[in-house]
C-alpha cells in the first residue's frame, strides 16, 4: 500500500524550488484576474537562505533539536513515531496527540506540500498522507545533496519568532 502511495505521489512531486517558501521573493504577491503572478513587492527576508549561506552551527542545531537521525532515515523515523506514541499514551493522550515524532522532512511536507484540505481530514489520514509524501520527497531528492535541499527548504519555511534577531539588529534577514 505504501509503495502504491509513493508511486501515486511520485507523479505529483513539485520541483524543490516550489517547496521553498515564496515569501523570499517579497511580502506582497500581485496577481491578475486569472490568478497568475505578475509581480512581488516588499523584499521581506533579504532573499532565500541556503545551507551554504548559513552557519554550520545553525544546521547542526536544527538537526539536533528537530530530527537527530535526519541524515540516516528515509523521510520518516519509525523509531521517533513509536517513541512519540509511547509518550502520548503514557501521558494519557491519544497516540497522535501531543508529541508527533515528525521528522524535518515531515514538518516540511506538512507546511508546504499538503493541501489545506488535508487538514480537514482525520489526524490519522493526514499523518498517512504526510508519511507517504515524506518518503516520496526523500526519494525525489536523494543523497546528501537532497538532504541539503530539504534543510534549505525547511530553513526558509520555519518560523523563528518575531523578531528573530535581537531588537538592536535589523529584522529583515538572518
Amino acid at each position: 500500500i505504501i509503495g502504491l502511495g509513493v508511486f501515486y505521489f511520485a507523479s505529483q512531486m513539485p520541483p524543490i524550488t516550489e517547496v521553498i517558501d515564496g515569501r523570499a521573493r517579497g511580502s506582497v504577491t500581485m496577481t491578475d484576474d486569472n490568478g497568475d503572478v505578475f509581480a512581488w513587492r516588499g523584499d521581506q527576508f533579504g532573499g532565500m537562505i541556503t545551507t551554504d549561506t548559513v552557519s554550520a552551527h545553525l544546521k547542526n542545531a536544527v538537526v539536533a533539536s528537530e530530527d537527530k537521525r535526519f541524515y540516516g532515515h528515509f523521510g520518516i523515523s519509525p523509531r521517533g513515531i513509536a517513541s512519540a506514541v509511547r509518550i502520548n499514551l503514557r501521558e494519557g493522550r491519544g497516540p497522535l496527540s501531543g508529541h508527533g515524532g515528525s521528522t524535518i522532512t515531515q514538518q516540511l511536507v506538512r507546511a508546504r506540500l499538503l493541501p489545506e484540505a488535508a487538514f480537514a481530514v482525520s489526524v490519522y489520514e493526514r499523518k498517512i498522507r504526510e508519511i507517504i509524501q515524506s518518503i516520496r520527497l526523500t526519494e525525489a531528492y536523494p543523497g546528501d545533496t537532497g538532504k541539503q535541499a530539504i534543510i534549505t527548504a525547511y530553513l526558509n519555511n520555519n518560523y523563528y519568532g518575531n523578531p528573530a534577531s535581537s531588537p538592536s539588529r535589523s529584522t529583515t534577514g538572518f
Side-chain angles (χ1 to χ4, degrees):
I1 292 174
I2 291 174
L4 289 174
V6 169
F7 179 75
Y8 169 75
F9 286 113
S11 64
Q12 300 178 353
M13 188 58 59
I16 196 71
T17 54
E18 289 183 26
V19 177
I20 296 172
D21 194 348
R23 291 178 297 171
R25 294 179 290 225
S27 58
V28 177
T29 303
M30 293 183 239
T31 59
D32 61 18
D33 291 342
N34 298 323
D36 297 324
V37 175
F38 66 87
W40 292 279
R41 297 290 184 263
D43 190 14
Q44 185 173 2
F45 296 105
M48 183 184 84
I49 63 168
T50 67
T51 55
D52 296 329
T53 61
V54 298
S55 165
H57 298 299
L58 174 62
K59 292 183 286 189
N60 293 337
V62 167
V63 170
S65 65
E66 295 294 330
D67 184 4
K68 65 184 176 186
R69 290 182 287 277
F70 175 71
Y71 291 103
H73 61 61
F74 52 96
I76 64 168
S77 174
R79 185 171 161 190
I81 294 170
S83 175
V85 167
R86 186 181 69 250
I87 291 168
N88 291 335
L89 292 175
R90 186 175 17 164
E91 294 177 355
R93 294 190 297 252
L96 297 179
S97 300
H99 297 282
S102 293
T103 63
I104 287 173
T105 309
Q106 285 176 269
Q107 293 175 45
L108 178 62
V109 164
R110 186 181 316 118
R112 298 295 299 161
L113 296 178
L114 285 181
E116 290 185 21
F119 292 95
V121 299
S122 74
V123 67
Y124 296 104
E125 187 175 342
R126 181 186 54 78
K127 198 69 164 177
I128 290 169
R129 290 180 186 185
E130 183 181 300
I131 287 170
I132 292 170
Q133 285 277 33
S134 296
I135 293 169
R136 178 58 197 126
L137 184 64
T138 302
E139 182 183 304
Y141 305 103
D144 191 49
T145 304
K147 291 290 188 177
Q148 296 309 313
I150 290 169
I151 289 181
T152 294
Y154 181 84
L155 290 172
N156 281 282
N157 280 284
N158 200 28
Y159 179 71
Y160 292 99
N162 186 20
S165 59
S166 68
S168 63
R169 293 186 182 173
S170 167
T171 60
T172 59
F174 287 95

